[in-house]
Amino acid sequence: MASCALSIALTSMKHVLTCKHNLHCEKHMRTERPNDGRVVLVVDDEPQVRASLTRCLREDYQVLAADSAAAAFEILDRSPVDLILCDQLMPETSGVEFFARTRVTHPEAIRILITGYTDPEDMIRSINEAAVYQFIPKPWQPDHLLLTIKRALESRELARRHRFLSRELKFADDVLRRENDVLVRQLQDVYHFDRLVFVSDAMAQVCNLARKAAATDLPVLIQGETGTGKELMARAIHFFSRRNTFPFMAQNCGALPDDMLHSELFGHKRGAFTGAISDRLGLFPAADSGTVFLDEISEVSQSFQVSLLRFLQEGEVKPLGSDETRHCNLRIIAASNRPLKELVEQGKFRQDLYFRLRGFELQMPPLRERPDDIPLLAEHAARKYGETINRKIAGISSEALRLLRAHPFPGNVRELENEIRRMVALAEDGEFLSAKHMSPEFTCLSPDKADAAMAALLQGSRTLKQKVEALEAELVMQSLLRHRWNHSRAAKELGLSRVGLANKIKRYKLDQKQAQASRR
């Protein structure tokens, strides 16, 4: 009798809960929700529960119902299903066993188990064997059930998109890697030491040493006059080294004050100084595992030399306004147009930093010391700049080459390239580059005229003092013409001070000669 009474009580309670569920579902049915086309399969052996779940879900989803595992598999085989709701207790099989099978046959469907038991071991078993997404305890609440299903389907969609994007990113990554390999090979062709434009022994010796430096991770110090190709050599070392798949970044150290230079290289945190409205990574962390080229290293202050020395010794980067440090694996290539050894002797550059930078020391020879390279460089530049403006250049005349070889080129290769670019712009398609296309400082005194002028100065009945003064005046005048009357450059070439040059201009009245020539 007691068992019968308990059974009747449980049946009554279940009926009350079912009615309660129906009332809640009817309330949700009154709220208009568009069906988004998602399919939910309800599996339960009790018709009332299936009907209750169907009424609760059909406003938002397309609902299919099955009274057994066998019927559920038939539905799954003929219809795509996004989510499965299944009761744990069923006559033929349990919900966990059913889900364990669907995990293999239909892995794309999300599995939610409705159960009145919360035994931890059963929950762990269902998670491990059936990959159940969520448990819905009995009696279930419509709001909780709908929210769980919504989150489950969102999770499924996010997982699908993640798989799709992962495949796309992997494909894109493979494409970028192949393109990067092609780009690296092209850059190696451009900056390969064997392809640098030179025929002189001086450049051959520098390139042989640079090739050996590229095979190591030692810092490299490149010194030479402005325009000799220091950055080009630095890029060649990088793209010929093991770091060629990582970034190469360059920074001119002479153009910024200490705080800005520290920010550019080491980075800063937001609010570290006025105008720092966001965090900045810095060149050193951004080029990690790659190479950083520091141009005009001789211009940095003593205080920044200490920070740079710390980085070279420990590899530590500390952004401005931050207490944290990070390590970067970088190769430093520094360049200077002023001899660092002389600056060390004058106390303007730290000796320990100088020794740190000169793991390998390369001295780029000026163009005037390798005149054999001038014709080859000129032809290469003419061909390159002619292609950029779609203009065919037949060649360079012998007279133009003689004028180029006679020029001292204080701006070195950069000055030569600028002159050839100007000549290409003035020339017609298919024309030879000749003296008529050259700048006045190149044509003002040709080699033949210069030799004739010097011979005329040394002839005649004048005294030795007069001949020396005439020769000195002519040499000063030539230097001024070559540098377009830039007194600083002319004085540097002649080994004079600006005051000494001004005195000679006044003594030989060279300013009056220049004025007369300009009037003519």
Side-chain angles (χ1 to χ4, degrees), residues 2 38 87 98 103 153 171 261 275 317 328 352 449 455 463 496:
R38 301 299 178 88
D87 188 20
F98 169 70
R103 179 185 183 183
L153 292 173
F171 175 75
L261 184 59
V317 174
C328 294
D352 47 2
K449 292 180 180 178
T463 64
L496 302 173

Side-chain angles (χ1 to χ4, degrees), residues 338-385:
R338 300 166 61 190
L340 289 188
K341 188 174 182 180
E342 295 181 5
L343 297 179
V344 170
E345 294 174 354
Q346 297 171 9
K348 298 180 180 179
F349 200 86
R350 292 181 63 95
Q351 187 179 47
D352 47 2
L353 178 58
Y354 169 64
F355 289 132
R356 280 282 180 182
L357 292 172
R358 55 168 295 189
F360 275 87
E361 188 171 3
L362 306 179
Q363 184 67 42
M364 299 294 291
L367 190 57
R368 62 179 175 274
E369 294 181 6
R370 46 188 182 105
D372 293 340
D373 290 340
I374 292 177
L376 189 64
L377 287 167
E379 292 173 0
H380 174 75
R383 183 170 57 255
K384 179 176 68 173
Y385 294 125

Side-chain angles (χ1 to χ4, degrees), residues 27 120 224 231 246 253 293 306 310 331 340 369-370 386 411 515:
K27 178 181 178 181
E231 183 172 351
F246 296 96
C253 298
F293 175 63
V306 176
R310 173 76 178 177
R331 182 181 204 168
L340 289 188
E369 294 181 6
R370 46 188 182 105

